[in-house]
Amino acid sequence: MVSDRLPQSFYLGEDVVFLAKALLGNVLVTEFNGQRSAGRIVETEAYRGPDDRACHAFNNRRTPRTEVMFGPGGHAYVYLCYGIHHLFNIVTGPEDAAHAVLIRGVEPLDNLALMLERRHLTKPAPPLTAGPGALAQALGIRTIHSGLPLFAPESPIWLEDRGLTPSPESIVAGTRVGVEPAGACALRPWRFSIKGSPWVSRAKGAPTP
DNA sequence: AAGAGGATGAACT
DNA sequence: GTTCATCCTCTTG
């Protein structure tokens, strides 16, 4: 079966919280220099530009870095955190909405060997792809990929629906990680994961079931 | 022109 | 549980 790339229309919905849930179970694929690797999305977080203090585009603040979030949905927003980690987000919503979904955890599917090599690890355990910085490194995603259209046929990064979408009752909602200073916004249950998956991040402050 | 700090992860005690 | 690596971006002078 040939899996097609998710079309741009998938990303254009106004409700970024809904889309963060809808992204669970879809497969994130990268192919650089003919080398493909992929993982199933098991953890996401929604960031809503205009009214979310935790979002880089809060209050519709435009900077060169956040400009891509103000474009139409379906583009990559990759940001360097702590000078080390490349965090992969998917821009959602219509133009000027400034919403994005952070991918926080994936279950490795294709080309484990390449992912292990990129992470300098030897066995497929959660440290490989559980956590936003970890999965970006495993899939070879870096800040230079920010702005890529995920729906375009020639893009080296895209999403596929391989029929692995979780049932609604197996989706867990929680508070987001690392957004303490955002005050009341930190209480919003905008972090979503697939219940029981070992590939969900164990970040500080995250619920541990 | 300069400095603080960040949507983290790994290696420590 | 704590510490710290490490660099880009944004704010301030």
Side-chain angles (χ1 to χ4, degrees):
Chain A
M1 143 186 172
V2 177
S3 300
D4 291 324
R5 296 172 184 228
L6 293 185
Q8 185 173 24
S9 58
F10 175 86
Y11 304 101
L12 296 178
E14 301 264 359
D15 186 348
V16 64
V17 176
F18 170 83
L19 278 170
K21 282 182 278 195
L23 282 164
L24 291 172
N26 284 291
V27 178
L28 175 60
V29 189
T30 64
E31 183 173 319
F32 304 113
N33 303 314
Q35 304 241 78
R36 182 176 296 202
S37 54
R40 174 181 180 240
I41 297 172
V42 299
E43 183 181 4
T44 60
E45 275 178 9
Y47 287 85
R48 194 166 68 188
D51 68 343
D52 181 0
R53 293 194 68 87
C55 183
H56 291 158
F58 169 61
N59 208 15
N60 287 319
R61 177 164 199 75
R62 280 178 192 251
T63 69
R65 181 181 63 164
T66 62
E67 190 60 33
V68 62
M69 277 204 274
F70 290 88
H75 295 261
Y77 169 53
V78 187
Y79 141 77
L80 182 65
C81 189
Y82 297 106
I84 308 170
H85 309 290
H86 300 260
L87 273 50
F88 175 74
N89 302 253
I90 298 171
V91 177
T92 71
E95 180 141 12
D96 291 328
H99 301 157
V101 176
L102 170 68
I103 308 302
R104 291 195 52 92
V106 305
E107 170 186 344
L109 293 183
D110 300 349
N111 209 341
L112 274 281
L114 176 60
M115 297 170 82
L116 288 166
E117 179 187 324
R118 287 184 178 132
R119 293 277 294 137
H120 308 111
L121 295 172
T122 54
K123 47 180 189 184
L128 179 61
T129 55
L135 74 88
Q137 185 182 18
L139 292 170
I141 297 171
R142 288 174 289 135
T143 54
I144 55 169
H145 302 124
S146 198
L148 282 178
L150 305 176
F151 49 85
E154 69 278 9
S155 173
I157 305 176
W158 68 93
L159 267 68
E160 298 175 358
D161 180 355
R162 295 189 190 176
L164 301 172
T165 307
S167 64
E169 52 271 21
S170 62
I171 295 177
V172 183
T175 54
R176 293 174 296 178
V177 177
V179 297
E180 181 81 32
C185 296
L187 300 176
R188 291 171 169 176
W190 286 357
R191 172 173 178 261
F192 303 100
S193 59
I194 296 178
K195 187 186 293 181
S197 172
W199 305 97
V200 172
S201 73
R202 302 288 192 83
K204 207 173 168 181
T208 47

